[in-house]
Amino acid sequence: MEEKKVVVNSEMENMRLDRYLRKQFKNESLSKIFSAIRNGDVKVNAKKSKESYRLSLGDILTIKMLKSSEKKENNFEKIKIKKENIENYKKMIIFENKDFFIVNKKEKVAMHKGTGHSYGLSEVFKKIYQNKNINFSNRLDYDTSGLVIGCKNLKFLRYISEKIRNNEVKKKYFAIVQNNNKKNTNNIDNVNIKIKELKELKKENKLNFKIENYLTTEKNGVIVSDSPISKDSKKSITYFKEKKLAHLKNFELLKDKKNIVLDIDLVTGRKHQIRAQLANAGLPIIGDSKYGKKGEKFYLCCYFVSFDNFKFSIESEVFI
């Protein structure tokens, strides 16, 4: 039987291997799927893997002995999108070349179709470029705005995914958080007594700290812990510093001194990493309905992305 290779994209990321196979090979019995995994007919990055393995961005799956369900090509053609909506999506593109494009995703825009969404960025840009190989190498939550990298071909998807795994793609975020700690943020003991690694550097009298802990993805969200609680726990590292944004000088939300802007340097890229770490530190992002308190707007934006000799920034546009 013909060997099939699949590159894990953002839509597949964090999915269990067995769940992905069951979804893609609906005509095959469960026993055959599990047998293929055990016998090494399904490999992840050329190695045997367990059915419980969670797929990582850029993983290469090699699949033999399983026959794909019949699937119509170019399903994106069937998606009905109003012309004015297509034009709005096109305006989100801030850069493109033959291999990739950078999109400034707006808040309340889905990355992929799913519950409550008949289409997302992936389906829309497949339609715009008439290219079924369009994939996004990083993803943002529905309410999060900012920069995402669109790949026009599988070769570039593999390339940029490898760089992401090696922490060679730099991503920075801005967030507006509410300081729920009782005392002044200049005293590190009062900022976060839960995380031992948190350090107050006191540069320019601004909050400046690092969070390094473990995140474990569960069905209802992400659990934060100082040490691994299961084999799925992943070390997560983020740097934070307080930031004054000139264009937000008269922003009503920031007149409350409990609310501060954080400039965030994401080292690892785990699911809900920034949101879960900040909430655990007593600094929930304003408008975060999952880890904090629901609001009209969610104040988290990926404002900067860089790799190789490319640098992209929308610093002056965030939260306006």
Side-chain angles (χ1 to χ4, degrees), residues 5-17:
K5 288 188 180 292
V6 178
V7 181
V8 174
N9 59 31
S10 60
E11 189 172 4
M12 301 155 58
E13 186 182 13
N14 209 45
M15 189 181 292
R16 278 177 56 121
L17 177 61

Side-chain angles (χ1 to χ4, degrees), residues 2-130:
E2 185 177 340
E3 183 177 274
K4 180 180 180 181
K5 288 188 180 292
V6 178
V7 181
V8 174
N9 59 31
S10 60
E11 189 172 4
M12 301 155 58
E13 186 182 13
N14 209 45
M15 189 181 292
R16 278 177 56 121
L17 177 61
D18 58 349
R19 183 169 177 267
Y20 169 75
L21 294 173
R22 290 169 66 180
K23 184 178 179 182
Q24 294 300 312
F25 300 94
K26 294 179 181 178
N27 294 336
E28 301 285 16
S29 66
L30 289 179
S31 60
K32 188 171 181 180
I33 288 174
F34 285 114
S35 177
I37 296 172
R38 287 194 302 269
N39 295 336
D41 293 320
V42 176
K43 293 184 177 179
V44 181
N45 301 323
K47 297 179 181 178
K48 287 179 68 173
S49 187
K50 294 183 178 180
E51 62 271 10
S52 60
Y53 174 78
R54 289 193 179 272
L55 301 177
S56 294
L57 195 66
D59 280 348
I60 299 176
L61 308 185
T62 306
I63 304 168
K64 295 188 292 186
M65 307 306 293
L66 296 176
K67 186 177 180 180
S68 297
S69 306
E70 289 297 320
K71 195 174 181 180
K72 294 181 180 179
E73 295 292 330
N74 301 337
N75 283 338
F76 60 84
E77 294 285 9
K78 293 186 175 182
I79 297 174
K80 294 181 180 180
I81 310 173
K82 293 180 180 179
K83 186 176 180 180
E84 56 266 34
N85 289 342
I86 288 283
E87 292 305 312
N88 287 335
Y89 277 91
K90 286 181 178 179
K91 290 175 183 177
M92 294 183 194
I93 301 171
I94 66 168
F95 174 88
E96 70 172 307
N97 62 20
K98 65 182 180 63
D99 290 317
F100 72 93
F101 56 104
I102 303 294
V103 172
N104 179 14
K105 186 184 92 68
K106 305 306 178 185
E107 61 179 287
K108 301 191 184 305
V109 171
M111 292 295 302
H112 304 280
K113 68 178 180 180
T115 306
H117 311 294
S118 56
Y119 58 82
L121 283 187
S122 180
E123 292 75 27
V124 172
F125 283 101
K126 280 181 171 68
K127 195 175 184 73
I128 289 173
Y129 287 110
Q130 291 294 294

